[in-house]
């Protein structure tokens, strides 16, 4: 194990605050990598070199000129798995500092071991995340025996059926760093929530979270996702949109399952209450996502021809409410806080501008498709 400079400085700072003595931490080559005296960092401590070369348990230095680069004090080896990986030195008169020596040595080893275990945990998490991302992106990967074995070494069995869920935190936070922190907090909360189920997997993928949950029935899966959403609301101003695949998948079927969950996520983001959406509930949304963005934009321009961008925005909001009320003038007017005559006037004006009557069956279909395209554009900016 190699001691990093940042870890070494943290240890030296913490320990010197406790014993109020000057402390140096040397690497396996006897080079000072952390010290309460910044001038000594990067210098060679020949006393620690002797300590490690001769495998001594302690080295007492009685004067500053006894070993080049060393000062009066006491030095102990830093051990890990029975191997010397560095040395810790306390500057000062031996009679004054000897009571602290072995305690400082042991505390240094404990802090290094804790840091090492955290790093190993981080590395394993990164390996698992990379493996899962490879799995959900490459249908051919799961069919390879070597890939399956690699997963088992990471405690992931891709042969087990799982339910794919895609989640996206929705918030007004603009700061990229703060948004990333929110995503990380959400991921940790999800991991805690499913920690009782070893086969459950949670990873970040861009702005989204992918959850591969046990092969639960729809009701249990929905209850779990709604609990996730309730937990996310503990963060002020945060909602958690959720898309759910409609059946379990395993192996090479998982990439397609995640694609279905992602399409369902679009439906959840666009829903006024961001309720969880199963893939089987999608209708028009299945097609919209597959149409090229340029073609969608051209269709919207043609549908709302002769409207300024500001007018189009206003008519879009009006039509959303109008069609949500199934074309009821009275209900839509109430929800828009308009007199019904005012709403009818606006609908007629839109018909005159575009040549498409929003109150007819055919016109309604054309406008609904345009609204779906606009929503897809908005979601694309979000995701």
């Amino acid at each position: 194990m190699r001691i990093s400079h940042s870890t070494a400085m943290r240890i030296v700072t913490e320990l010197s605050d406790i014993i109020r003595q000057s402390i140096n931490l040397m690497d396996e080559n006897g080079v000072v990598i952390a010290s309460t005296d910044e001038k000594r960092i990067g210098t060679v401590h020949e006393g620690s070199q002797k300590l490690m070369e001769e495998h001594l348990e302690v080295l007492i230095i009685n004067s500053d000129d006894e070993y080049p680069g060393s000062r009066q004090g006491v030095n102990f080896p830093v051990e890990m798995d029975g191997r010397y990986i560095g040395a810790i030195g306390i500057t000062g008169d031996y009679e004054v500092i000897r009571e602290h020596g072995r305690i400082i040595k042991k505390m240094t080893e404990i802090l290094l071991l804790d840091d090492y275990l955290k790093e190993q945990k981080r590395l394993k998490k990164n390996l698992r995340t990379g493996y899962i991302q490879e799995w959900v992106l490459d249908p051919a990967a799961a069919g390879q025996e070597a890939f399956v074995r690699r997963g088992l070494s990471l405690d992931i069995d891709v042969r087990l059926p799982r339910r794919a869920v895609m989640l996206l935190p929705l918030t007004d936070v603009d700061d990229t760093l703060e948004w990333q922190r929110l995503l990380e907090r959400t991921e940790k909360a999800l991991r805690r929530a499913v920690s009782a189920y070893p086969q459950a997997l949670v990873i970040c993928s861009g702005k989204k979270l992918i959850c591969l949950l046990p092969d639960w029935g729809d009701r249990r899966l929905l209850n779990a996702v709604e609990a996730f959403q309730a937990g996310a609301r503990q963060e002020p101003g945060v909602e958690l949109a959720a898309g759910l695949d409609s059946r379990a998948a395993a192996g090479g079927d998982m990439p397609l399952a995640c694609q279905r969950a992602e399409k369902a996520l679009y439906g959840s983001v666009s829903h006024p209450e961001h309720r969880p959406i199963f893939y089987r509930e999608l209708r028009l949304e299945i097609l919209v996502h597959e149409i090229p963005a340029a073609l969608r934009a051209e269709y919207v321009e043609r549908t709302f021809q002769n409207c300024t961008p500001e007018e189009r925005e206003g008519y879009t909001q009006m039509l959303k409410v109008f069609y949500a009320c199934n074309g009821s003038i009275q209900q839509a007017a109430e929800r828009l806080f308009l007199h019904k005559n005012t709403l009818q006037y606006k609908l007629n004006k839109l018909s005159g501008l575009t040549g498409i009557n929003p109150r007819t069956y055919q016109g309604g279909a054309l406008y609904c498709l345009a609204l779906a395209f606009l929503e897809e554009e908005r979601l694309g900016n979000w995701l």
Side-chain angles (χ1 to χ4, degrees), residues 169 171-186 204 206-207 235:
T171 176
D172 292 332
V173 172
D174 293 327
D175 183 74
T176 302
L177 181 58
E178 183 56 36
W179 201 96
Q180 185 61 39
R181 289 171 178 165
L182 169 63
L183 188 63
E184 291 172 357
R185 291 196 297 272
T186 306
C204 280
K207 291 184 176 181
E235 295 273 358

Side-chain angles (χ1 to χ4, degrees), residues 75-87:
N75 298 270
F76 293 91
V78 176
E79 301 179 63
M80 188 74 70
D81 295 327
R83 185 171 63 88
Y84 285 12
I85 62 170

Side-chain angles (χ1 to χ4, degrees), residues 298-309 311-317 319 350 353-354 356 366-371 374:
E298 182 179 353
Y299 179 88
V300 170
E301 288 299 323
R302 290 189 181 188
T303 302
F304 288 97
Q305 59 183 323
N306 301 322
C307 295
T308 66
E311 287 175 330
R312 189 178 75 181
E313 177 64 24
Y315 285 130
T316 295
Q317 299 306 317
L319 290 174
L350 174 62
L353 286 170
T354 65
I356 303 172
L366 295 174
Y367 280 119
C368 283
L369 187 57
L371 293 176
L374 286 169

Side-chain angles (χ1 to χ4, degrees), residues 225-242:
V225 172
E226 288 175 343
F228 297 162
Q229 290 181 312
R233 294 189 190 103
Q234 300 302 310
E235 295 273 358
V238 176
E239 284 287 340
L240 193 63

